[in-house]
Short mmCIF file of all heavy atoms in Angstrom, two decimals:
data_model
loop_
_atom_site.label_atom_id
_atom_site.label_comp_id
_atom_site.label_asym_id
_atom_site.label_seq_id
_atom_site.Cartn_x
_atom_site.Cartn_y
_atom_site.Cartn_z
N VAL A 251 -225.22 -228.39 -2.32
CA VAL A 251 -224.75 -227.10 -1.77
C VAL A 251 -223.33 -226.82 -2.26
O VAL A 251 -222.61 -226.04 -1.65
CB VAL A 251 -224.84 -227.07 -0.22
CG1 VAL A 251 -226.27 -227.05 0.25
CG2 VAL A 251 -224.09 -228.22 0.41
N ARG A 252 -222.95 -227.42 -3.39
CA ARG A 252 -221.60 -227.24 -3.93
C ARG A 252 -221.32 -225.78 -4.30
O ARG A 252 -220.19 -225.35 -4.25
CB ARG A 252 -221.37 -228.13 -5.14
CG ARG A 252 -221.30 -229.60 -4.78
CD ARG A 252 -221.10 -230.45 -5.99
NE ARG A 252 -222.29 -230.34 -6.85
CZ ARG A 252 -222.46 -231.00 -7.98
NH1 ARG A 252 -221.50 -231.81 -8.42
NH2 ARG A 252 -223.55 -230.86 -8.68
N ASN A 253 -222.34 -225.05 -4.70
CA ASN A 253 -222.17 -223.67 -5.10
C ASN A 253 -222.62 -222.68 -4.03
O ASN A 253 -222.91 -221.53 -4.33
CB ASN A 253 -222.90 -223.40 -6.41
CG ASN A 253 -222.29 -224.18 -7.56
OD1 ASN A 253 -221.08 -224.16 -7.74
ND2 ASN A 253 -223.10 -224.86 -8.31
N ALA A 254 -222.68 -223.16 -2.82
CA ALA A 254 -223.07 -222.30 -1.69
C ALA A 254 -221.89 -222.16 -0.72
O ALA A 254 -220.95 -222.96 -0.75
CB ALA A 254 -224.27 -222.92 -0.95
N ARG A 255 -221.96 -221.15 0.10
CA ARG A 255 -221.02 -221.02 1.20
C ARG A 255 -221.74 -221.57 2.42
O ARG A 255 -222.78 -221.06 2.81
CB ARG A 255 -220.61 -219.55 1.42
CG ARG A 255 -219.43 -219.45 2.36
CD ARG A 255 -218.87 -218.05 2.40
NE ARG A 255 -219.57 -217.32 3.45
CZ ARG A 255 -220.10 -216.12 3.32
NH1 ARG A 255 -220.05 -215.49 2.18
NH2 ARG A 255 -220.70 -215.54 4.32
N VAL A 256 -221.23 -222.65 2.99
CA VAL A 256 -221.90 -223.33 4.08
C VAL A 256 -221.06 -223.23 5.34
O VAL A 256 -219.90 -223.66 5.36
CB VAL A 256 -222.15 -224.83 3.73
CG1 VAL A 256 -222.93 -225.52 4.84
CG2 VAL A 256 -222.87 -224.95 2.40
N ASP A 257 -221.65 -222.67 6.39
CA ASP A 257 -220.95 -222.60 7.67
C ASP A 257 -220.71 -224.00 8.20
O ASP A 257 -221.53 -224.92 7.97
CB ASP A 257 -221.78 -221.80 8.69
CG ASP A 257 -221.82 -220.31 8.37
OD1 ASP A 257 -221.06 -219.86 7.49
OD2 ASP A 257 -222.62 -219.61 9.01
N PRO A 258 -219.61 -224.22 8.90
CA PRO A 258 -219.27 -225.57 9.39
C PRO A 258 -220.38 -226.23 10.21
O PRO A 258 -220.66 -227.41 10.03
CB PRO A 258 -218.01 -225.34 10.23
CG PRO A 258 -217.41 -224.10 9.67
CD PRO A 258 -218.55 -223.26 9.22
N GLU A 259 -221.01 -225.49 11.09
CA GLU A 259 -222.08 -226.07 11.93
C GLU A 259 -223.29 -226.45 11.07
O GLU A 259 -223.92 -227.47 11.31
CB GLU A 259 -222.48 -225.12 13.06
CG GLU A 259 -223.61 -225.63 13.94
CD GLU A 259 -223.34 -226.97 14.62
OE1 GLU A 259 -222.18 -227.37 14.78
OE2 GLU A 259 -224.31 -227.63 15.03
N ALA A 260 -223.60 -225.65 10.09
CA ALA A 260 -224.71 -225.97 9.20
C ALA A 260 -224.42 -227.24 8.41
O ALA A 260 -225.28 -228.11 8.26
CB ALA A 260 -225.00 -224.80 8.26
N LEU A 261 -223.19 -227.38 7.92
CA LEU A 261 -222.79 -228.60 7.20
C LEU A 261 -222.89 -229.81 8.12
O LEU A 261 -223.37 -230.87 7.72
CB LEU A 261 -221.39 -228.46 6.62
CG LEU A 261 -220.88 -229.64 5.81
CD1 LEU A 261 -221.79 -229.92 4.62
CD2 LEU A 261 -219.46 -229.39 5.35
N ARG A 262 -222.45 -229.65 9.36
CA ARG A 262 -222.54 -230.76 10.32
C ARG A 262 -224.00 -231.18 10.52
O ARG A 262 -224.33 -232.36 10.53
CB ARG A 262 -221.92 -230.35 11.65
CG ARG A 262 -221.83 -231.54 12.63
CD ARG A 262 -221.52 -231.10 14.05
NE ARG A 262 -222.63 -230.38 14.65
CZ ARG A 262 -223.77 -230.94 15.09
NH1 ARG A 262 -223.94 -232.24 14.99
NH2 ARG A 262 -224.73 -230.22 15.62
N GLN A 263 -224.89 -230.21 10.65
CA GLN A 263 -226.31 -230.52 10.84
C GLN A 263 -226.88 -231.26 9.63
O GLN A 263 -227.66 -232.21 9.77
CB GLN A 263 -227.09 -229.25 11.11
CG GLN A 263 -226.83 -228.64 12.46
CD GLN A 263 -227.61 -227.35 12.69
OE1 GLN A 263 -228.65 -227.12 12.08
NE2 GLN A 263 -227.09 -226.50 13.56
N LEU A 264 -226.51 -230.83 8.44
CA LEU A 264 -226.97 -231.51 7.23
C LEU A 264 -226.46 -232.94 7.17
O LEU A 264 -227.20 -233.87 6.81
CB LEU A 264 -226.51 -230.74 5.98
CG LEU A 264 -227.17 -229.39 5.76
CD1 LEU A 264 -226.48 -228.65 4.62
CD2 LEU A 264 -228.66 -229.56 5.48
N GLN A 265 -225.20 -233.13 7.54
CA GLN A 265 -224.62 -234.49 7.55
C GLN A 265 -225.37 -235.40 8.53
O GLN A 265 -225.60 -236.56 8.26
CB GLN A 265 -223.12 -234.44 7.87
CG GLN A 265 -222.29 -233.78 6.79
CD GLN A 265 -222.16 -234.62 5.53
OE1 GLN A 265 -222.67 -235.72 5.42
NE2 GLN A 265 -221.45 -234.08 4.55
N VAL A 266 -225.74 -234.85 9.68
CA VAL A 266 -226.49 -235.64 10.68
C VAL A 266 -227.84 -236.08 10.10
O VAL A 266 -228.24 -237.23 10.25
CB VAL A 266 -226.67 -234.85 12.00
CG1 VAL A 266 -227.70 -235.51 12.91
CG2 VAL A 266 -225.34 -234.69 12.71
N CYS A 267 -228.51 -235.18 9.40
CA CYS A 267 -229.79 -235.53 8.77
C CYS A 267 -229.59 -236.64 7.74
O CYS A 267 -230.40 -237.57 7.66
CB CYS A 267 -230.41 -234.31 8.11
SG CYS A 267 -231.02 -233.07 9.26
N SER A 268 -228.53 -236.53 6.97
CA SER A 268 -228.24 -237.54 5.97
C SER A 268 -227.97 -238.90 6.62
O SER A 268 -228.46 -239.94 6.15
CB SER A 268 -227.05 -237.10 5.14
OG SER A 268 -226.69 -238.09 4.19
N GLU A 269 -227.20 -238.90 7.70
CA GLU A 269 -226.84 -240.15 8.37
C GLU A 269 -228.00 -240.80 9.11
O GLU A 269 -228.13 -242.01 9.12
CB GLU A 269 -225.69 -239.89 9.35
CG GLU A 269 -224.39 -239.53 8.66
CD GLU A 269 -223.35 -238.93 9.61
OE1 GLU A 269 -223.60 -238.87 10.84
OE2 GLU A 269 -222.31 -238.49 9.11
N THR A 270 -228.88 -239.98 9.72
CA THR A 270 -229.99 -240.51 10.50
C THR A 270 -231.25 -240.75 9.66
O THR A 270 -232.19 -241.39 10.14
CB THR A 270 -230.36 -239.57 11.67
OG1 THR A 270 -230.82 -238.32 11.13
CG2 THR A 270 -229.18 -239.37 12.59
N HIS A 271 -231.29 -240.20 8.45
CA HIS A 271 -232.45 -240.30 7.56
C HIS A 271 -233.68 -239.60 8.13
O HIS A 271 -234.80 -240.00 7.84
CB HIS A 271 -232.79 -241.75 7.22
CG HIS A 271 -231.66 -242.48 6.58
ND1 HIS A 271 -231.27 -242.28 5.27
CD2 HIS A 271 -230.78 -243.39 7.07
CE1 HIS A 271 -230.24 -243.04 4.98
NE2 HIS A 271 -229.92 -243.71 6.05
N HIS A 272 -233.44 -238.56 8.93
CA HIS A 272 -234.53 -237.77 9.49
C HIS A 272 -234.15 -236.31 9.54
O HIS A 272 -232.98 -235.97 9.77
CB HIS A 272 -234.87 -238.24 10.92
CG HIS A 272 -235.46 -239.59 10.97
ND1 HIS A 272 -234.71 -240.72 11.24
CD2 HIS A 272 -236.72 -240.02 10.75
CE1 HIS A 272 -235.48 -241.78 11.20
NE2 HIS A 272 -236.71 -241.38 10.92
N LEU A 273 -235.14 -235.45 9.36
CA LEU A 273 -234.95 -234.02 9.55
C LEU A 273 -235.10 -233.72 11.03
O LEU A 273 -235.62 -234.56 11.80
CB LEU A 273 -235.99 -233.25 8.73
CG LEU A 273 -235.86 -233.43 7.21
CD1 LEU A 273 -237.06 -232.81 6.50
CD2 LEU A 273 -234.57 -232.84 6.71
N PRO A 274 -234.66 -232.54 11.47
CA PRO A 274 -234.82 -232.22 12.89
C PRO A 274 -236.29 -232.31 13.33
O PRO A 274 -237.20 -232.00 12.55
CB PRO A 274 -234.32 -230.77 12.98
CG PRO A 274 -233.40 -230.62 11.82
CD PRO A 274 -233.98 -231.49 10.73
N THR A 275 -236.51 -232.70 14.56
CA THR A 275 -237.86 -232.88 15.10
C THR A 275 -238.68 -231.61 15.01
O THR A 275 -239.89 -231.66 14.74
CB THR A 275 -237.78 -233.36 16.56
OG1 THR A 275 -236.97 -234.53 16.60
CG2 THR A 275 -239.15 -233.68 17.12
N ARG A 276 -238.06 -230.45 15.19
CA ARG A 276 -238.82 -229.20 15.13
C ARG A 276 -239.36 -228.93 13.72
O ARG A 276 -240.34 -228.23 13.54
CB ARG A 276 -237.97 -228.02 15.61
CG ARG A 276 -236.82 -227.67 14.73
CD ARG A 276 -235.93 -226.59 15.31
NE ARG A 276 -234.77 -226.34 14.47
CZ ARG A 276 -233.70 -227.09 14.40
NH1 ARG A 276 -233.61 -228.18 15.15
NH2 ARG A 276 -232.70 -226.78 13.60
N ILE A 277 -238.73 -229.51 12.71
CA ILE A 277 -239.17 -229.37 11.32
C ILE A 277 -240.16 -230.48 10.96
O ILE A 277 -241.16 -230.24 10.29
CB ILE A 277 -237.97 -229.40 10.34
CG1 ILE A 277 -237.01 -228.25 10.65
CG2 ILE A 277 -238.43 -229.38 8.91
CD1 ILE A 277 -237.56 -226.86 10.45
N ASP A 278 -239.87 -231.69 11.39
CA ASP A 278 -240.70 -232.85 11.08
C ASP A 278 -240.99 -233.64 12.35
O ASP A 278 -240.31 -234.62 12.65
CB ASP A 278 -240.00 -233.74 10.04
CG ASP A 278 -240.85 -234.93 9.61
OD1 ASP A 278 -242.07 -234.93 9.91
OD2 ASP A 278 -240.31 -235.83 8.96
N PRO A 279 -242.02 -233.22 13.10
CA PRO A 279 -242.34 -233.91 14.36
C PRO A 279 -242.65 -235.41 14.18
O PRO A 279 -242.42 -236.18 15.09
CB PRO A 279 -243.57 -233.16 14.88
CG PRO A 279 -243.55 -231.84 14.18
CD PRO A 279 -242.90 -232.09 12.84
N GLN A 280 -243.17 -235.80 13.01
CA GLN A 280 -243.49 -237.23 12.77
C GLN A 280 -242.25 -238.05 12.47
O GLN A 280 -242.31 -239.27 12.45
CB GLN A 280 -244.48 -237.38 11.61
CG GLN A 280 -245.90 -237.01 11.96
CD GLN A 280 -246.15 -235.53 11.75
OE1 GLN A 280 -245.44 -234.86 10.99
NE2 GLN A 280 -247.15 -234.98 12.42
N GLN A 281 -241.12 -237.38 12.21
CA GLN A 281 -239.85 -238.06 11.89
C GLN A 281 -240.01 -239.03 10.73
O GLN A 281 -239.63 -240.21 10.78
CB GLN A 281 -239.27 -238.75 13.13
CG GLN A 281 -238.76 -237.77 14.17
CD GLN A 281 -237.57 -236.98 13.65
OE1 GLN A 281 -236.47 -237.47 13.63
NE2 GLN A 281 -237.81 -235.75 13.20
N THR A 282 -240.57 -238.54 9.65
CA THR A 282 -240.73 -239.30 8.41
C THR A 282 -239.35 -239.66 7.85
O THR A 282 -238.44 -238.84 7.87
CB THR A 282 -241.49 -238.43 7.36
OG1 THR A 282 -242.69 -237.97 7.95
CG2 THR A 282 -241.78 -239.23 6.10
N HIS A 283 -239.21 -240.88 7.36
CA HIS A 283 -237.96 -241.33 6.77
C HIS A 283 -237.61 -240.41 5.60
O HIS A 283 -238.46 -240.09 4.77
CB HIS A 283 -238.07 -242.78 6.28
CG HIS A 283 -236.80 -243.30 5.73
ND1 HIS A 283 -235.81 -243.80 6.52
CD2 HIS A 283 -236.36 -243.39 4.44
CE1 HIS A 283 -234.79 -244.19 5.75
NE2 HIS A 283 -235.11 -243.95 4.48
N CYS A 284 -236.36 -240.02 5.55
CA CYS A 284 -235.90 -239.09 4.52
C CYS A 284 -234.52 -239.54 4.01
O CYS A 284 -233.55 -239.48 4.74
CB CYS A 284 -235.81 -237.67 5.10
SG CYS A 284 -235.31 -236.41 3.91
N THR A 285 -234.48 -240.02 2.77
CA THR A 285 -233.22 -240.44 2.17
C THR A 285 -232.58 -239.22 1.55
O THR A 285 -232.98 -238.79 0.48
CB THR A 285 -233.45 -241.53 1.11
OG1 THR A 285 -234.15 -242.60 1.72
CG2 THR A 285 -232.14 -242.04 0.56
N LEU A 286 -231.61 -238.65 2.23
CA LEU A 286 -231.01 -237.39 1.84
C LEU A 286 -229.51 -237.55 1.68
O LEU A 286 -228.82 -238.01 2.59
CB LEU A 286 -231.29 -236.32 2.93
CG LEU A 286 -230.72 -234.93 2.72
CD1 LEU A 286 -231.36 -234.27 1.50
CD2 LEU A 286 -230.95 -234.09 3.96
N SER A 287 -229.01 -237.22 0.50
CA SER A 287 -227.57 -237.20 0.29
C SER A 287 -227.14 -235.74 0.10
O SER A 287 -227.87 -234.94 -0.49
CB SER A 287 -227.16 -238.05 -0.91
OG SER A 287 -227.77 -237.58 -2.09
N ILE A 288 -225.97 -235.43 0.59
CA ILE A 288 -225.46 -234.07 0.57
C ILE A 288 -224.28 -233.98 -0.40
O ILE A 288 -223.32 -234.75 -0.28
CB ILE A 288 -224.96 -233.62 1.96
CG1 ILE A 288 -225.99 -233.92 3.05
CG2 ILE A 288 -224.56 -232.15 1.95
CD1 ILE A 288 -227.27 -233.17 2.94
N LEU A 289 -224.35 -233.06 -1.34
CA LEU A 289 -223.21 -232.74 -2.18
C LEU A 289 -222.57 -231.50 -1.57
O LEU A 289 -223.09 -230.40 -1.66
CB LEU A 289 -223.66 -232.46 -3.63
CG LEU A 289 -224.30 -233.63 -4.36
CD1 LEU A 289 -224.73 -233.23 -5.75
CD2 LEU A 289 -223.36 -234.82 -4.42
N ALA A 290 -221.44 -231.71 -0.89
CA ALA A 290 -220.79 -230.68 -0.07
C ALA A 290 -220.19 -229.58 -0.95
O ALA A 290 -219.91 -229.78 -2.13
CB ALA A 290 -219.73 -231.30 0.81
N PRO A 291 -219.97 -228.41 -0.35
CA PRO A 291 -219.44 -227.26 -1.10
C PRO A 291 -218.06 -227.56 -1.67
O PRO A 291 -217.27 -228.30 -1.09
CB PRO A 291 -219.32 -226.16 -0.05
CG PRO A 291 -220.03 -226.62 1.14
CD PRO A 291 -220.19 -228.10 1.05
N ARG A 292 -217.80 -226.97 -2.81
CA ARG A 292 -216.49 -227.11 -3.45
C ARG A 292 -215.45 -226.37 -2.65
O ARG A 292 -214.32 -226.83 -2.50
CB ARG A 292 -216.52 -226.57 -4.87
CG ARG A 292 -217.36 -227.41 -5.78
CD ARG A 292 -217.39 -226.85 -7.19
NE ARG A 292 -218.23 -227.71 -8.00
CZ ARG A 292 -219.01 -227.25 -8.96
NH1 ARG A 292 -219.05 -225.99 -9.24
NH2 ARG A 292 -219.75 -228.09 -9.64
N ARG A 293 -215.78 -225.22 -2.18
CA ARG A 293 -214.87 -224.39 -1.38
C ARG A 293 -215.36 -224.39 0.05
O ARG A 293 -216.10 -223.50 0.46
CB ARG A 293 -214.82 -222.97 -1.91
CG ARG A 293 -214.20 -222.87 -3.26
CD ARG A 293 -214.12 -221.45 -3.67
NE ARG A 293 -213.52 -221.36 -4.99
CZ ARG A 293 -212.90 -220.30 -5.42
NH1 ARG A 293 -212.83 -219.23 -4.68
NH2 ARG A 293 -212.38 -220.29 -6.62
N ALA A 294 -214.96 -225.36 0.79
CA ALA A 294 -215.35 -225.46 2.19
C ALA A 294 -214.38 -224.67 3.05
O ALA A 294 -213.21 -224.54 2.72
CB ALA A 294 -215.37 -226.91 2.63
N THR A 295 -214.90 -224.16 4.16
CA THR A 295 -213.99 -223.52 5.10
C THR A 295 -213.11 -224.61 5.70
O THR A 295 -213.38 -225.80 5.54
CB THR A 295 -214.78 -222.83 6.23
OG1 THR A 295 -215.51 -223.82 6.96
CG2 THR A 295 -215.71 -221.77 5.70
N THR A 296 -212.07 -224.24 6.38
CA THR A 296 -211.14 -225.21 6.94
C THR A 296 -211.86 -226.22 7.82
O THR A 296 -211.68 -227.43 7.68
CB THR A 296 -210.06 -224.49 7.77
OG1 THR A 296 -209.40 -223.56 6.91
CG2 THR A 296 -209.05 -225.49 8.32
#
């Protein structure tokens, strides 16, 4: 998401998915393991 404008709360949610290795339950009720790394925006808000 380096070339995207990412709202702070959205970035936080993505980081949580990366740290827990799971997508939100409403998206993946089975909680399948997901190895996700985030490339954060170049121009982040404060």
